[in-house]
Amino acid sequence: MLHYKTMKSPIGKITLVSSNEALVALYCNDELMPKKDLAKKNDAHKILNLAEQQLNEYFDGRRKTFELPLNPEGTEFQSKAWSALLKIPYGEIWSYGKQAEYLKAPKAQRAVGGANGRNPIPVIIPCHRVIGSTGKLTGFSGGMSMKVYLLKLEGHQVDADALKIL
């Protein structure tokens, strides 16, 4: 059975979805929420409350790593790409090429970008920490303003047009 709850955050409304064992999705604002549609509202669920607490600590600058059971559903390649994202430390950025090299698939930058774009647990699985090889900010499922906010929160400077890391 799936459970969900919503919370307010500096990046807008977040909807968290969990099984009995692990967090399975994090939705921002009004994006499509297929897992939520299968879930029951539960504001007392242990994993959802822990996720909310840790996200609040992250947004307040008091948390740099998340300690939550995660179970994102995807293909084998997507799962590997998302696991690689968890290796990027707070405050650091990787290029899509570096992530592809980490996966031992150096020519798979586009596939990595596609997998990152389907990350079902953004922020916690930090796809916002991946940018273009020239420092250019590329797409983010939550929108570029959200990506810029998260990168700035983690100490990065972004140009005035919010297009590139300085």
Side-chain angles (χ1 to χ4, degrees):
M1 171 178 255
L2 295 177
H3 310 271
Y4 81 91
K5 78 179 297 186
T6 59
M7 64 178 279
K8 292 179 183 178
S9 81
I11 58 173
K13 181 180 82 172
I14 291 177
T15 302
L16 301 163
V17 182
S18 177
S19 67
N20 289 329
E21 297 81 31
L23 193 67
V24 299
L26 183 155
Y27 301 111
C28 298
N29 298 311
D30 297 322
E31 70 178 299
L32 293 175
M33 303 182 202
K35 295 277 187 202
K36 178 193 174 225
D37 295 339
L38 304 171
K40 177 181 166 191
K41 185 170 175 56
N42 185 344
D43 288 330
H45 192 274
K46 181 180 178 180
I47 293 170
L48 296 174
N49 287 338
L50 184 61
E52 180 179 26
Q53 174 192 341
Q54 291 186 18
L55 282 162
N56 283 328
E57 292 168 355
Y58 170 78
F59 291 125
D60 288 344
R62 296 179 289 129
R63 176 172 290 276
K64 295 186 179 185
T65 59
F66 292 93
E67 298 168 15
L68 295 165
L70 305 175
N71 189 19
E73 292 181 17
T75 66
E76 183 180 347
F77 183 81
Q78 288 170 336
S79 295
K80 287 178 181 178
W82 301 332
S83 290
L85 292 171
L86 292 168
K87 302 295 183 190
I88 307 172
Y90 179 97
E92 290 189 23
I93 52 175
W94 283 10
S95 68
Y96 292 97
K98 182 172 180 174
Q99 187 179 358
E101 287 175 16
Y102 179 87
L103 295 171
K104 298 189 181 358
K107 295 184 180 189
Q109 294 102 326
R110 284 182 170 234
V112 163
N116 291 357
R118 290 178 188 82
N119 173 9
I121 312 176
V123 183
I124 293 171
I125 299 177
C127 50
H128 61 277
R129 294 179 187 156
V130 180
I131 63 172
S133 61
T134 63
K136 183 178 178 189
L137 301 183
T138 53
F140 183 68
S141 63
M144 288 305 292
S145 61
M146 189 179 302
K147 183 169 187 158
V148 168
Y149 178 87
L150 295 170
L151 289 168
K152 285 182 173 182
L153 176 69
E154 294 189 14
H156 297 284
Q157 293 184 355
V158 177
D159 71 2
D161 297 320
L163 298 174
K164 192 170 184 176
I165 292 284
L166 298 176

